[in-house]
Amino acid sequence: MQKKRNIAIGLITCCLMAIGFFSVVLIKAHYQNKAEDAQEASLPNLIQLQLENDKLTKENEHLWEELTRLQAADSVAALASQQLEEANINACLVGMKGPGIRIILDDSKEERIAETGNYVIHEEYLRTLVNALWNGGAEAIAINNQRLTAHTEIFCSGSFIQINGTRQMPPYRIVAIGNQDNLKSALQFYYWDILGEYQQLYGITRKLETPEEPLVVPPAKAFTFKYAEPLKEG
Amino acid sequence: MRPLNKHVVTVATIAAIIIGFLIAVQIQAKEEADTAAQIQSKRLAQIKSVTESLKERNKQLQDIQDQLNEQIKNYTDESINNPFLINKLNELKMSDGTIDVQGPGIRLKIQDSGQNIDVLFPLNTDDLRRIVNTLRYAGAEAISINGQRIVASTSIVMSGNSTILVNSVPISKIGGTAYEILAIGDQTVLVDYLTNLEILSLKQVGMKVDLTREIVTIPAYKGGYSFEYAEAI
């Protein structure tokens, strides 16, 4: 009897040990799969490289164009004036004309009941829309005839928005020159929809115009550098 | 004697069933894991080889670009040697961002991940745009984010849910953890505006922020300008 009992206990112990062992193996196998999944993180890396290469290819095309133009220039004087002209255009110091879109944003005229912040146009709206327009391939942008340059701030200063050091009051007219379809589709993001909602709920103005006649974006004032210097070669 | 035997048999049967079940599951899981591992390793190998070829292409393109830039520089150096003109051109190029610049300024380093940093939401494109705007407001003459020069037409957008594009180029965090923003201008004003308007709120959400005054070099905008729709008046 005692012997049998011992055998039985031994058998059960063995079985339980086997069960434990298999459970551990199973759990381990499960977690190993998870660990391997993590290695897929190298995929973003790949996408980044691809994007970088696309960009480089495009840049090189531009450089080839420039080199070709340089070689084709008749004389030193012609080359110099051509370069100056281009640099002036790139630096936003020349007024531009072309097809594009116009966005008009204005504060609400309705009586402000609650959440009064939603009745007015904020600097953030302007900055976000402008960012979307640049991303959509805009070639020149102005807000209320203030040309946007590398140094343009769009900064909230109480009841007005400061742009290029000037006070701008609503309505805000954003004019962007570029491919009309691309610019319009660049606006198809949640921000634009939110402004649409605010238009319905609070009565702000959010208007998009795609006029057929060319739009005009004025030149900026020249920027004076006090601190920066061109990097010496070598 | 009888009852004990019965117990033993019952327990042994249940245990045997469980063991059998576990063995079956184990074999199945192993098979699945094996196939999964195979697919995984195949996929990894593919990604690796594509990455390799992309890297090679990247280097080639980089080389071509260097050569082109040198050629163009030779041309302009040779043909335009009037110092007055060169000065004017340089000034314009500083404005449009197509020349490397150097000057007194600030280096702003922001870490939103890494050791001892617990941030709920990482730094996003809104934050970066707001910082650029603040720097512009503080009169910065040149700005860059992780080596990308900020020009008029710079857009800062998300691509997917983790990659930030500046000038349509993905910026990876410096050293895998930090954003580095450089700006040239009046150091006192830059530090003052950044400290009061930006750094406080970034620190409040748990990011590690380092702001130093130094002489910085800011690289040129390499995207190039092209006007297909706009023409000069």
Side-chain angles (χ1 to χ4, degrees):
Chain A
M1 174 99 177
Q2 191 62 34
K3 206 176 164 194
K4 277 242 167 102
R5 184 183 280 267
N6 279 349
I7 291 173
I9 289 173
L11 201 64
I12 290 168
T13 312
C14 279
C15 288
L16 287 177
M17 272 169 77
I19 292 175
F21 173 74
F22 281 120
S23 303
V24 169
V25 171
L26 262 179
I27 290 167
K28 228 175 143 185
H30 184 70
Y31 277 102
Q32 237 166 15
N33 280 350
K34 284 264 166 71
E36 274 171 16
D37 283 343
Q39 291 189 326
E40 278 202 87
S42 63
L43 209 56
N45 230 342
L46 192 136
I47 295 166
Q48 256 196 24
L49 261 175
Q50 181 63 49
L51 279 169
E52 221 169 278
N53 281 359
D54 290 349
K55 185 78 187 169
L56 272 174
T57 313
K58 225 170 108 190
E59 281 171 22
N60 284 355
E61 273 168 23
H62 277 303
L63 289 173
W64 270 116
E65 270 171 34
E66 197 180 332
L67 190 62
T68 321
R69 253 183 322 180
L70 285 174
Q71 280 168 331
D74 303 336
S75 64
V76 176
L79 186 66
S81 70
Q82 189 191 336
Q83 284 210 321
L84 269 178
E85 200 187 314
E86 274 172 23
N88 266 311
I89 290 174
N90 292 345
C92 304
L93 298 176
V94 178
M96 302 299 271
K97 188 176 78 175
I101 65 168
R102 194 191 291 126
I103 300 169
I104 298 165
L105 299 174
D106 199 354
D107 290 353
S108 172
K109 305 278 187 287
E110 286 173 20
E111 196 191 337
R112 292 168 196 189
I113 315 153
E115 295 178 83
T116 46
N118 293 341
Y119 289 84
V120 294
I121 303 301
H122 295 283
E123 48 153 14
E124 209 187 336
Y125 303 170
L126 297 180
R127 278 210 304 268
T128 312
L129 290 182
V130 163
N131 186 63
L133 291 172
W134 287 129
N135 196 39
E139 296 178 355
I141 303 180
I143 302 178
N144 286 4
N145 283 330
Q146 286 298 325
R147 177 76 170 266
L148 301 190
T149 72
H151 301 104
T152 302
E153 80 287 2
I154 302 177
F155 203 87
C156 179
S157 306
S159 59
F160 60 90
I161 294 178
Q162 179 177 322
I163 302 174
N164 281 340
T166 65
R167 292 173 175 218
Q168 295 300 328
M169 309 285 277
Y172 301 102
R173 278 188 206 81
I174 307 175
V175 174
I177 298 179
N179 182 310
Q180 287 184 326
D181 293 331
N182 290 353
L183 292 176
K184 268 192 289 181
S185 55
L187 289 174
Q188 297 307 315
F189 68 125
Y190 68 96
Y191 222 89
W192 186 249
D193 299 334
I194 290 174
L195 289 179
E197 254 171 55
Y198 284 5
Q199 176 161 261
Q200 288 188 340
L201 290 172
Y202 307 105
I204 63 160
T205 304
R206 180 206 73 170
K207 206 154 79 182
L208 172 65
E209 298 174 348
T210 47
E212 277 177 28
E213 75 275 4
L215 294 168
V216 173
V217 170
K221 287 202 185 89
F223 187 84
T224 322
F225 289 90
K226 283 188 211 141
Y227 302 93
E229 279 178 10
L231 185 65
K232 305 279 183 295
E233 301 282 341
Chain B
M1 179 97 185
R2 274 269 153 205
L4 178 71
N5 251 350
K6 220 179 189 175
H7 277 307
V8 172
V9 170
T10 318
V11 171
T13 311
I14 293 172
I17 290 172
I18 294 176
I19 291 177
F21 175 74
L22 280 176
I23 290 176
V25 171
Q26 170 65 24
I27 288 170
Q28 213 181 354
K30 178 109 178 67
E31 259 171 28
E32 265 171 30
D34 280 353
T35 345
Q38 257 179 22
I39 294 172
Q40 194 73 34
S41 70
K42 225 187 252 173
R43 203 185 292 164
L44 273 180
Q46 271 173 358
I47 290 177
K48 219 173 154 194
S49 83
V50 174
T51 310
E52 280 305 312
S53 68
L54 278 179
K55 264 188 196 154
E56 211 171 289
R57 178 86 188 124
N58 195 290
K59 203 180 161 295
Q60 276 176 358
L61 287 169
Q62 216 46 275
D63 285 348
I64 295 173
Q65 186 160 75
D66 290 346
Q67 282 169 16
L68 281 170
N69 273 327
E70 203 179 324
Q71 286 274 332
I72 288 170
K73 204 181 150 298
N74 282 345
Y75 251 101
T76 34
D77 282 358
E78 266 174 37
S79 46
I80 304 174
N81 43 24
N82 176 342
F84 177 72
L85 262 184
I86 290 175
N87 267 343
K88 181 70 191 163
L89 257 178
N90 278 345
E91 202 188 298
L92 290 173
K93 282 184 176 172
M94 288 208 291
S95 278
D96 69 24
T98 53
I99 191 171
D100 296 354
V101 287
Q102 196 173 43
I106 54 98
R107 180 187 302 269
L108 176 65
K109 236 174 112 179
I110 305 170
Q111 278 179 277
D112 62 358
S113 59
Q115 275 191 326
N116 303 326
I117 297 171
D118 188 19
V119 176
L120 203 56
F121 299 106
L123 197 76
N124 62 29
T125 52
D126 287 341
D127 296 328
L128 287 174
R129 280 200 297 271
R130 210 188 47 243
I131 293 169
V132 167
N133 194 55
T134 300
L135 285 168
R136 283 171 167 168
Y137 185 53
E141 298 183 349
I143 308 168
S144 72
I145 300 178
N146 286 13
Q148 281 300 321
R149 177 79 161 263
I150 305 299
V151 296
S153 56
T154 296
S155 62
I156 303 174
V157 295
M158 277 313 256
S159 161
N161 51 17
S162 64
T163 310
I164 292 179
L165 303 181
V166 178
N167 291 332
S168 307
V169 178
I171 53 163
S172 26
K173 296 188 197 173
I174 305 280
T177 57
Y179 293 96
E180 192 178 64
I181 299 168
L182 305 178
I184 295 176
D186 185 331
Q187 288 177 322
T188 314
V189 179
L190 291 174
V191 168
D192 187 29
Y193 281 36
L194 280 177
T195 311
N196 289 318
L197 295 169
E198 301 299 335
I199 294 176
L200 207 67
S201 57
L202 293 177
K203 277 186 174 165
Q204 266 169 0
V205 296
M207 296 186 197
K208 191 165 176 281
V209 187
D210 286 313
L211 178 63
T212 49
R213 299 174 186 227
E214 50 188 274
I215 306 289
V216 291
T217 302
I218 295 183
Y221 169 60
K222 302 196 182 65
Y225 291 94
S226 69
F227 294 93
E228 280 172 54
Y229 297 90
E231 53 180 286
I233 302 176

